[in-house]
């Protein structure tokens, strides 16, 4: 249910306060130690941030997409690491259950995800399966009451701490495409499930991705999402549609934060006897970043409202993800440029932001995949 | 026992304040407002006492324009059970506020009246003390710790020389200093639920108090802009200037 303006403003203000007073001051430490301090994760859990999108009847807040986007834009002002901590529970780690799960599966798993007591994770990508997501090679072989899973999932966000994985595996070996894939809910303590070493990444130190390995891992048949084989790929695509919008909101919030830092530096840095912000070439960069961020805000909220109104937003969500992820890259790049040499030095946040935003153009569908989808939808007449 | 907490709506502490061009006051139009930070600490203490089972109910009170409802909703989201707004457009000063608080504290039969030690807008630091006067209750001001000991409170207050410990009989008026606790963030689900908690609106007349100001502000001015410094060639010139121009030595 959509919130009234006063309540939504109170939510956003509270999140902004968390961002400004607790998260942003901790960014350096988080990046240096490659970990979010436990006390900060606890605060985020107690504030209810893990349950933004999960309906109230399952212990969450059940925000509308528009309200969720407002909250994610506010939270997105802090380092993307913090968004990543809650991102899987709010998005890809819970949505498959919510969208296609049975009532029993919802009752069983959603309350723990909503409270943040368990971390949810989404396992689609494999060593040989990236953009060609339908070509999943992890297998699930039915044996009586269980499916036996074998295979390796790669670059799985929050895998090291996850208690529950949404795993795409092939149940029909005779069908090598999407129709042979099913979605499973796999608990961390299932025998045969192990987690690889966290990867060393370009940015977002403090957020962890790792391999998830299944070796003859028996998963109860009742854990197949919706109790239906062969629809896992379709479920995954629905989950990603929604996730793209949340990512777009996060990109937008972070771009607005970076823009503020660009402007603050341009007003303060003196060259040729005056602040560099008085030079038109610097003003042009600020203007472009502002226009980029404002465009993003408009399209994200417009798409979110359309989703709340029950419209099919699949193409628009792809367009948002494409634009917003590329946009925040441009804004972070201009910020480095405005900072000059200082922007290349690791002591300044500009350098970290530049690395942190690079992933947005890659995960949950690369820019190229978004373009292919949008192009196909437009040419096929799916959008007018 | 019940606790009442006074929460004042003030200009947010992150805002750079500006004096109105006519000097009549501080510009508040279009400025972000929030709960006085010392009142947040007072509220947190009351809510913790409730969570510990010492206090049965926490009542938040604010006074002023109807927009103070926002501040009360924040208090309800943090953990107050209900709220009272004394709605008035009058320019409220500490005397009237403390009188109205004392009336409400009696009407609600509270045992503890919490306030921040001062509000960050006018820094008057008078309301708690005067309320204690009207009520005839003991007061613990500038508190950095508070423990309930049966029918008494043991408090520590920050004074110039260090910490002073006092034992106060309940009922009492308590004002919070910075180190009393670290206020929590309201949880987002509680912010959504705050709308459903009771919020009563009364007027100064209902409380039998005339809120008309007794003090008159003559003028208000921005601090003078800092003049640029100068460079001196040597220590002798510096000493001479400190003596003859700055007149500090």
């Amino acid at each position: 249910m959509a919130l009234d303006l006063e309540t939504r403003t109170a939510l956003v203000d509270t999140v902004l306060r968390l961002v400004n007073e607790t998260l942003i001051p901790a960014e350096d430490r988080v990046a240096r130690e490659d970990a979010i301090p436990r006390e900060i994760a606890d605060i985020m859990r107690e504030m209810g941030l893990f349950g933004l999108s999960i309906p109230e009847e399952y212990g969450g807040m059940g925000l509308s997409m528009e309200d969720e986007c407002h909250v994610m834009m506010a939270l997105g002002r802090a380092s993307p690491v913090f968004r990543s901590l809650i991102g899987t529970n709010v998005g890809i780690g819970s949505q498959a259950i919510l969208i296609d799960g049975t009532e029993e599966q919802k009752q069983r798993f959603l309350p723990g995800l909503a409270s943040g007591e368990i971390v949810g994770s989404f396992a689609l990508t494999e060593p040989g399966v990236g953009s060609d997501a339908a070509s999943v090679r992890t297998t699930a072989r039915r044996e009586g009451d269980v499916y036996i899973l074998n295979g390796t999932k790669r670059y799985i966000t929050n895998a090291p701490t996850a208690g529950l994985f949404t795993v795409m595996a092939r149940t029909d070996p005779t069908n090598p495409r999407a129709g042979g894939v099913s979605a499973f809910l796999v608990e961390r303590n299932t025998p045969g499930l192990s987690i690889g070493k966290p990867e060393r990444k370009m940015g977002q130190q403090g957020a962890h991705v790792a391999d998830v390995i299944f070796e003859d891992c028996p998963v109860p048949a009742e854990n197949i999402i919706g109790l239906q084989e062969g629809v896992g790929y379709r479920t995954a695509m629905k989950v990603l549609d929604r996730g793209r919008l949340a990512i777009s909101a996060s990109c937008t919030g972070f771009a607005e934060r970076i823009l503020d830092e660009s402007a603050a530096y341009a007003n303060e840095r003196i060259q040729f006897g005056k602040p560099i912000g008085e030079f038109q070439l610097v003003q042009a960069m600020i203007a472009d970043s502002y226009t980029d961020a404002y465009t993003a805000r408009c399209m994200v909220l417009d798409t979110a409202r359309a989703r709340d109104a029950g419209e099919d937003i699949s193409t628009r969500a792809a367009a948002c993800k494409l634009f917003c992820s590329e946009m925040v890259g441009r804004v972070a790049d201009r910020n480095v440029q405005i900072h000059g040499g200082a922007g290349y030095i690791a002591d300044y946040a500009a350098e970290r932001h530049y690395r942190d935003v690079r992933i947005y153009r890659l995960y949950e569908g690369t820019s190229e995949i978004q373009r292919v989808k949008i192009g196909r939808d437009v040419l096929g007449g799916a959008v007018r | 026992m019940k606790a009442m907490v006074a929460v004042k709506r003030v200009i947010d502490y992150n805002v750079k304040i500006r004096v109105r061009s006519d000097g009549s006051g501080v510009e508040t139009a279009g400025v972000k407002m929030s709960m006085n930070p010392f009142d947040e600490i007072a509220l947190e203490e009351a809510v913790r006492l409730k969570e510990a089972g010492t206090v049965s109910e926490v009542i938040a009170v604010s006074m002023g324009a109807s927009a103070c409802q926002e501040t009360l909703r924040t208090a309800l989201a943090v953990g107050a059970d209900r709220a009272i707004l004394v709605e008035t457009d009058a320019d409220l000063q500490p005397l009237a506020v403390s009188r109205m608080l004392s009336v409400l504290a009696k009407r609600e039969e509270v045992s503890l009246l919490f306030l921040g030690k001062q509000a960050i807008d006018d820094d008057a630091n008078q309301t708690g003390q005067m309320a204690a006067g009207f009520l005839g209750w003991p007061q613990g001001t500038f508190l950095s710790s508070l423990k309930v000991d049966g029918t008494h409170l043991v408090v520590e207050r920050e004074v110039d020389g260090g910490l002073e410990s006092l034992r106060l009989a309940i009922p009492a008026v308590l004002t919070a200093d910075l180190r009393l606790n670290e206020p929590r963030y309201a949880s987002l689900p509680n912010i959504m639920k705050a709308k459903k908690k009771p919020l009563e609106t009364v007027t100064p007349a209902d409380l039998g108090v005339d809120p008309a100001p007794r003090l008159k502000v003559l003028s208000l001015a921005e601090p003078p802009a800092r003049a640029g410094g100068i460079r001196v060639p040597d220590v002798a010139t510096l000493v001479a200037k400190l003596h003859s121009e700055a007149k500090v030595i």
Side-chain angles (χ1 to χ4, degrees):
Chain A
M1 193 190 68
L3 300 174
D4 60 275
L5 187 60
E6 190 192 329
T7 306
R8 184 213 283 160
T9 307
L11 282 190
V12 168
D13 282 353
T14 304
V15 173
L16 284 177
R17 199 168 164 187
L18 169 81
V19 165
N20 293 328
E21 293 178 11
T22 300
L23 303 187
I24 289 179
E27 284 178 352
D28 266 341
R29 176 180 166 200
V30 169
R32 216 171 38 244
E33 297 176 359
D34 193 14
I36 295 176
R38 175 179 286 274
E39 62 271 20
I40 293 183
D42 285 346
I43 289 174
M44 293 174 71
R45 204 170 286 119
E46 281 157 21
M47 284 179 73
L49 283 167
F50 286 80
L52 292 177
S53 64
I54 296 173
E56 288 179 273
E57 62 259 43
Y58 305 111
M61 295 173 64
L63 293 188
S64 69
M65 198 69 219
E66 185 186 0
D67 292 331
E68 181 186 326
C69 284
H70 278 287
V71 171
M72 293 310 277
M73 285 187 203
L75 184 65
R77 290 184 68 90
S79 157
V81 174
F82 298 108
R83 173 206 98 81
S84 187
L85 178 70
I86 65 152
T88 49
N89 281 38
V90 172
I92 55 179
S94 67
Q95 291 300 315
I97 308 173
L98 199 56
I99 294 172
D100 280 338
T102 63
E103 186 54 37
E104 191 270 334
Q105 288 168 344
K106 292 180 191 178
Q107 302 272 7
R108 205 167 128 212
F109 294 110
L110 290 179
L113 290 167
S115 69
E117 189 189 322
I118 46 173
V119 170
S121 187
F122 180 81
L124 172 61
T125 300
E126 298 179 10
V129 179
S131 291
D132 184 9
S135 67
V136 166
R137 287 181 202 168
T138 295
T139 57
R141 189 179 74 246
R142 178 105 194 211
E143 274 188 17
D145 290 343
V146 297
Y147 286 86
I148 307 295
L149 265 63
N150 277 289
T152 298
K153 294 293 178 178
R154 181 139 293 172
Y155 308 146
I156 303 307
T157 302
N158 287 340
T161 50
L164 180 68
F165 297 88
T166 302
V167 180
M168 303 303 148
R170 189 163 302 282
T171 41
D172 181 359
T174 65
N175 183 345
R177 296 308 305 164
V181 176
S182 303
F184 292 90
L185 295 167
V186 185
E187 294 182 79
R188 173 70 182 87
N189 57 8
T190 312
L193 186 159
S194 59
I195 309 290
K197 232 174 70 189
E199 304 286 354
R200 295 174 57 231
K201 316 192 299 312
M202 176 191 282
Q204 297 206 13
Q205 273 68 33
H208 300 129
V209 304
D211 280 1
V212 182
I213 303 136
F214 303 94
E215 289 166 304
D216 293 327
C217 176
V219 176
E222 74 220 40
N223 281 19
I224 191 164
I225 290 182
L227 300 179
Q228 219 186 331
E229 279 192 16
V231 295
Y233 182 78
R234 246 174 32 219
T235 299
M237 291 306 111
K238 285 188 260 185
V239 168
L240 291 176
D241 263 359
R242 191 180 187 290
R244 280 169 188 153
L245 209 42
I247 286 187
S248 302
S250 302
C251 290
T252 304
F254 202 47
E256 290 171 347
R257 186 286 188 70
I258 295 174
L259 170 64
D260 287 348
E261 292 180 354
S262 292
Y265 190 81
N267 276 329
E268 161 200 305
R269 169 75 175 167
I270 309 282
Q271 284 294 283
F272 305 102
K274 54 185 176 182
I276 59 170
E278 289 184 22
F279 294 98
Q280 290 184 339
L281 288 174
V282 174
Q283 287 168 7
M285 286 192 274
I286 300 275
D288 286 349
S289 288
Y290 171 82
T291 308
D292 262 344
Y294 181 56
T295 307
R297 178 170 275 268
C298 293
M299 73 194 293
V300 167
L301 292 177
D302 182 63
T303 306
R305 283 183 208 117
R307 189 182 193 279
D308 288 334
E311 295 175 34
D312 176 2
I313 56 146
S314 182
T315 314
R316 279 174 276 183
C320 288
K321 163 73 166 61
L322 169 62
F323 182 83
C324 295
S325 61
E326 300 268 341
M327 174 283 295
V328 73
R330 291 192 294 272
V331 171
D333 183 68
R334 289 187 201 108
N335 187 44
V336 169
Q337 196 66 18
I338 290 166
H339 277 71
Y344 198 69
I345 303 298
D347 289 346
Y348 290 79
E351 183 266 351
R352 190 183 65 231
H353 298 337
Y354 183 80
R355 289 183 289 107
D356 282 354
V357 299
R358 189 60 181 84
I359 186 63
Y360 281 131
R361 288 152 66 186
L362 302 170
Y363 65 12
E364 297 194 28
T366 60
S367 290
E368 290 65 39
I369 288 296
Q370 311 300 337
R371 286 189 173 97
V372 167
K373 176 184 164 48
I374 298 163
R376 214 183 267 156
D377 288 355
V378 173
L379 291 167
V383 283
R384 276 171 294 147
Chain B
M1 64 179 165
K2 296 198 274 186
M4 180 173 280
V5 187
V7 293
K8 186 174 183 182
R9 183 169 181 266
V10 299
I11 294 180
D12 187 85
Y13 71 95
N14 287 307
V15 172
K16 197 165 178 288
I17 60 162
R18 283 180 301 115
V19 172
R20 280 194 211 115
S21 50
D22 62 1
S24 64
V26 169
E27 188 56 73
T28 52
V31 171
K32 182 174 161 52
M33 309 290 283
S34 48
M35 188 188 297
N36 175 36
F38 291 110
D39 296 346
E40 285 188 348
I41 298 171
L43 174 67
E44 175 69 30
E45 197 66 16
V47 170
R48 286 186 191 185
L49 287 175
K50 185 181 175 200
E51 287 167 348
T54 313
V55 157
S56 57
E57 187 182 34
V58 176
I59 307 162
V61 176
S62 194
M63 301 182 186
S66 66
C68 294
Q69 281 193 24
E70 277 171 37
T71 312
L72 288 171
R73 295 277 175 217
T74 305
L76 294 169
V78 169
D81 298 290
R82 59 190 172 95
I84 302 171
L85 168 64
V86 183
E87 193 171 346
T88 172
D89 290 328
D91 169 27
L92 289 176
Q93 292 182 347
L95 184 66
V97 172
S98 54
R99 201 185 284 272
M100 292 192 282
L101 275 177
S102 66
V103 173
L104 281 171
K106 277 191 192 142
R107 188 190 88 172
E108 299 293 338
E109 297 175 335
V110 303
S111 305
L112 304 175
L113 175 58
F114 281 97
L115 305 89
K117 68 167 181 177
Q118 65 197 62
I120 60 166
D121 48 5
D122 55 17
D123 281 329
N125 184 3
Q126 299 171 343
T127 308
Q129 293 87 332
M130 289 198 286
F134 285 125
L135 288 161
W137 293 359
Q139 56 181 294
T141 54
F142 309 98
L143 297 191
S144 58
S145 88
L146 181 154
K147 284 192 195 72
V148 179
D149 177 18
T151 57
H152 285 71
L153 300 167
V154 179
V155 300
E156 276 183 325
R157 52 193 304 269
E158 300 190 3
V159 295
D160 284 350
L163 287 179
E164 184 181 67
S165 293
L166 295 176
R167 198 174 144 80
L168 310 174
I170 296 172
V173 175
L174 305 157
T175 79
D177 208 337
L178 202 59
R179 277 159 288 273
L180 183 58
N181 60 50
E182 216 171 294
R184 73 194 69 187
Y185 294 103
S187 87
L188 305 188
N190 285 345
I191 292 173
M192 290 166 64
K193 286 177 203 139
K195 262 259 142 100
K196 296 182 188 115
K197 290 187 177 177
L199 193 159
E200 180 196 358
T201 301
V202 298
T203 63
D206 296 337
L207 306 177
V209 176
D210 172 12
R214 305 290 202 274
L215 304 172
K216 193 176 162 203
V217 175
L218 299 180
S219 74
L220 216 66
E222 303 251 358
R226 191 176 172 277
I230 55 160
R231 248 171 223 281
V232 291
D234 50 39
V235 174
T237 319
L238 175 66
V239 171
K241 280 185 179 296
L242 286 174
H243 179 74
S244 61
E245 289 179 28
K247 297 190 191 331
V248 291
I249 52 172

